[in-house]
Coordinates of all heavy atoms in Angstrom, one line a residue:
I59 N -21.9 -181.2 -70.2 CA -20.6 -181.9 -69.8 C -19.5 -181.6 -70.8 O -18.4 -181.4 -70.4 CB -20.9 -183.5 -69.7 CG1 -21.7 -183.7 -68.4 CG2 -19.5 -184.2 -69.6 CD1 -22.0 -185.1 -68.1
V60 N -19.9 -181.5 -72.1 CA -18.8 -181.1 -73.1 C -18.2 -179.8 -72.7 O -17.0 -179.7 -72.8 CB -19.5 -181.1 -74.5 CG1 -18.6 -180.3 -75.5 CG2 -19.7 -182.5 -75.1
L62 N -17.8 -178.5 -69.8 CA -16.9 -178.7 -68.6 C -15.7 -179.5 -69.0 O -14.6 -179.2 -68.5 CB -17.7 -179.4 -67.5 CG -18.9 -178.6 -66.9 CD1 -19.8 -179.5 -66.1 CD2 -18.3 -177.5 -66.1
E63 N -15.8 -180.5 -69.9 CA -14.7 -181.2 -70.4 C -13.7 -180.3 -71.1 O -12.5 -180.5 -71.0 CB -15.1 -182.4 -71.3 CG -15.8 -183.5 -70.6 CD -16.3 -184.6 -71.5 OE1 -16.5 -184.3 -72.7 OE2 -16.5 -185.8 -71.1
D64 N -14.2 -179.4 -71.8 CA -13.3 -178.5 -72.6 C -12.6 -177.4 -71.7 O -11.7 -176.8 -72.2 CB -14.1 -177.8 -73.7 CG -14.5 -178.7 -74.8 OD1 -14.0 -179.8 -74.9 OD2 -15.4 -178.3 -75.7
N65 N -13.1 -177.3 -70.5 CA -12.5 -176.3 -69.6 C -11.4 -176.9 -68.8 O -11.5 -177.9 -68.1 CB -13.7 -175.8 -68.6 CG -13.2 -174.7 -67.8 OD1 -12.1 -174.5 -67.4 ND2 -14.2 -173.9 -67.4
A70 N -11.6 -183.4 -66.2 CA -12.4 -184.2 -67.2 C -12.0 -183.7 -68.5 O -11.8 -182.5 -68.7 CB -13.9 -184.1 -66.9
G71 N -11.8 -184.6 -69.5 CA -11.4 -184.2 -70.8 C -10.1 -183.4 -70.7 O -9.2 -183.8 -70.0
R72 N -10.1 -182.2 -71.3 CA -8.9 -181.3 -71.3 C -8.7 -180.9 -69.8 O -9.6 -180.5 -69.1 CB -9.2 -180.1 -72.1 CG -8.0 -179.2 -72.2 CD -8.3 -178.2 -73.4 NE -7.2 -177.2 -73.5 CZ -7.3 -175.9 -73.2 NH1 -8.5 -175.4 -73.0 NH2 -6.3 -175.2 -73.3
G73 N -7.4 -181.1 -69.3 CA -7.2 -180.7 -67.9 C -7.3 -181.9 -66.9 O -7.3 -181.7 -65.7
S74 N -7.5 -183.1 -67.5 CA -7.6 -184.3 -66.6 C -6.3 -184.5 -65.9 O -5.2 -184.1 -66.4 CB -7.9 -185.5 -67.5 OG -9.2 -185.6 -67.9
M84 N -9.2 -191.4 -69.0 CA -10.5 -190.8 -68.6 C -11.6 -191.8 -68.6 O -11.6 -192.8 -69.4 CB -10.8 -189.7 -69.6 CG -9.7 -188.6 -69.6 SD -9.8 -187.4 -70.9 CE -9.2 -188.4 -72.3
V102 N -9.8 -194.4 -71.0 CA -9.6 -194.1 -72.5 C -8.7 -192.9 -72.6 O -8.6 -192.0 -71.7 CB -11.0 -193.7 -73.1 CG1 -11.5 -192.4 -72.7 CG2 -10.9 -193.9 -74.6
R103 N -7.9 -192.9 -73.6 CA -6.9 -191.8 -73.8 C -7.2 -191.0 -75.1 O -7.7 -191.6 -76.1 CB -5.5 -192.3 -73.9 CG -5.1 -192.9 -72.5 CD -3.6 -193.3 -72.5 NE -2.8 -192.1 -72.9 CZ -1.5 -192.2 -73.3 NH1 -0.9 -193.4 -73.2 NH2 -0.9 -191.1 -73.6
N104 N -6.8 -189.8 -75.1 CA -6.8 -188.9 -76.3 C -8.2 -188.6 -76.9 O -8.3 -188.1 -78.0 CB -5.9 -189.5 -77.4 CG -4.5 -189.7 -77.0 OD1 -4.0 -190.7 -76.6 ND2 -3.8 -188.6 -76.9
V105 N -9.2 -189.0 -76.2 CA -10.6 -188.7 -76.7 C -11.0 -187.3 -76.2 O -10.9 -187.0 -74.9 CB -11.6 -189.7 -76.2 CG1 -13.0 -189.3 -76.4 CG2 -11.3 -191.0 -76.8
R106 N -11.3 -186.4 -77.1 CA -11.5 -185.0 -76.7 C -12.7 -184.9 -75.7 O -12.6 -184.2 -74.7 CB -11.8 -184.1 -77.9 CG -11.9 -182.7 -77.6 CD -12.3 -181.9 -78.9 NE -12.7 -180.6 -78.5 CZ -11.9 -179.5 -78.7 NH1 -10.7 -179.6 -79.3 NH2 -12.3 -178.3 -78.4
N107 N -13.8 -185.5 -76.0 CA -14.9 -185.5 -75.2 C -15.4 -186.9 -74.8 O -16.3 -187.4 -75.5 CB -16.1 -184.7 -75.8 CG -15.7 -183.2 -76.0 OD1 -15.5 -182.7 -77.1 ND2 -15.6 -182.5 -74.9
P108 N -14.9 -187.4 -73.7 CA -15.3 -188.8 -73.3 C -16.8 -189.0 -73.2 O -17.3 -190.1 -73.5 CB -14.6 -188.9 -72.0 CG -13.4 -188.0 -72.1 CD -13.9 -186.8 -72.9
I109 N -17.6 -187.9 -72.8 CA -19.0 -188.1 -72.7 C -19.6 -188.4 -74.1 O -20.6 -189.1 -74.2 CB -19.7 -186.9 -72.0 CG1 -21.1 -187.2 -71.5 CG2 -19.8 -185.7 -73.0 CD1 -21.1 -188.2 -70.4
E110 N -19.0 -187.9 -75.1 CA -19.6 -188.2 -76.5 C -19.3 -189.6 -76.9 O -20.1 -190.2 -77.5 CB -19.0 -187.2 -77.5 CG -19.6 -185.8 -77.3 CD -19.3 -184.8 -78.4 OE1 -18.4 -185.0 -79.2 OE2 -20.1 -183.8 -78.4
L111 N -18.2 -190.1 -76.4 CA -17.9 -191.5 -76.7 C -18.8 -192.4 -75.9 O -19.3 -193.4 -76.4 CB -16.4 -191.8 -76.3 CG -15.9 -193.2 -76.7 CD1 -16.2 -193.6 -78.1 CD2 -14.4 -193.3 -76.4
N130 N -10.7 -197.1 -77.7 CA -10.1 -196.1 -78.7 C -10.4 -196.6 -80.1 O -10.7 -195.8 -81.0 CB -8.6 -195.9 -78.5 CG -8.3 -194.9 -77.4 OD1 -8.5 -195.2 -76.2 ND2 -8.0 -193.7 -77.8
A133 N -13.8 -195.6 -80.8 CA -13.9 -194.2 -81.0 C -13.5 -193.8 -82.4 O -14.2 -193.0 -83.1 CB -13.0 -193.5 -80.0
I138 N -15.1 -190.3 -83.6 CA -15.1 -189.4 -82.4 C -13.8 -188.6 -82.5 O -12.7 -189.1 -82.9 CB -15.1 -190.3 -81.1 CG1 -16.5 -190.9 -80.9 CG2 -14.7 -189.5 -79.9 CD1 -17.5 -189.9 -80.4
K139 N -13.9 -187.4 -82.1 CA -12.7 -186.5 -82.1 C -11.6 -186.8 -81.1 O -11.9 -186.9 -79.9 CB -13.2 -185.0 -81.9 CG -12.3 -184.0 -82.3 CD -13.0 -182.7 -82.6 CE -12.0 -181.8 -83.3 NZ -12.3 -180.4 -83.2
L140 N -10.4 -187.0 -81.7 CA -9.3 -187.3 -80.8 C -8.3 -186.1 -80.8 O -8.4 -185.3 -81.7 CB -8.5 -188.5 -81.4 CG -9.3 -189.8 -81.5 CD1 -8.4 -190.9 -82.1 CD2 -9.9 -190.3 -80.2
E141 N -7.5 -186.1 -79.8 CA -6.5 -185.0 -79.6 C -5.2 -185.6 -79.2 O -5.2 -186.6 -78.5 CB -7.0 -184.0 -78.5 CG -8.3 -183.3 -78.9 CD -8.2 -182.2 -80.0 OE1 -7.1 -181.9 -80.4 OE2 -9.3 -181.7 -80.4
P142 N -4.1 -184.9 -79.5 CA -2.8 -185.4 -79.1 C -2.6 -185.1 -77.5 O -3.4 -184.3 -77.0 CB -1.8 -184.5 -79.8 CG -2.6 -183.3 -80.2 CD -4.0 -183.7 -80.4
Y145 N -2.8 -181.6 -75.9 CA -4.1 -181.0 -75.7 C -4.6 -181.1 -74.3 O -5.2 -180.2 -73.7 CB -5.2 -181.6 -76.7 CG -6.6 -181.1 -76.4 CD1 -7.1 -179.9 -76.9 CD2 -7.4 -181.9 -75.6 CE1 -8.4 -179.5 -76.6 CE2 -8.7 -181.5 -75.3 CZ -9.2 -180.3 -75.8 OH -10.4 -179.9 -75.5
F146 N -4.3 -182.2 -73.6 CA -4.9 -182.5 -72.3 C -4.0 -181.9 -71.2 O -4.4 -181.9 -70.0 CB -5.1 -184.0 -72.1 CG -6.0 -184.6 -73.1 CD1 -5.6 -185.1 -74.3 CD2 -7.4 -184.7 -72.8 CE1 -6.5 -185.6 -75.2 CE2 -8.3 -185.2 -73.7 CZ -7.8 -185.7 -74.9
S201 N -18.2 -187.4 -66.0 CA -17.0 -187.6 -66.8 C -15.8 -187.2 -65.9 O -15.9 -186.2 -65.2 CB -17.0 -186.6 -68.0 OG -15.9 -186.7 -68.8

Side-chain angles (χ1 to χ4, degrees):
I59 291 181
V60 162
L62 294 166
E63 286 177 338
D64 288 349
N65 188 330
R72 185 165 178 245
S74 284
M84 299 166 287
V102 77
R103 294 189 52 194
N104 300 103
V105 169
R106 184 186 171 103
N107 292 111
I109 197 68
E110 288 191 341
L111 185 53
N130 276 77
I138 288 283
K139 198 155 189 199
L140 302 179
E141 297 288 352
Y145 169 83
F146 298 90
S201 180

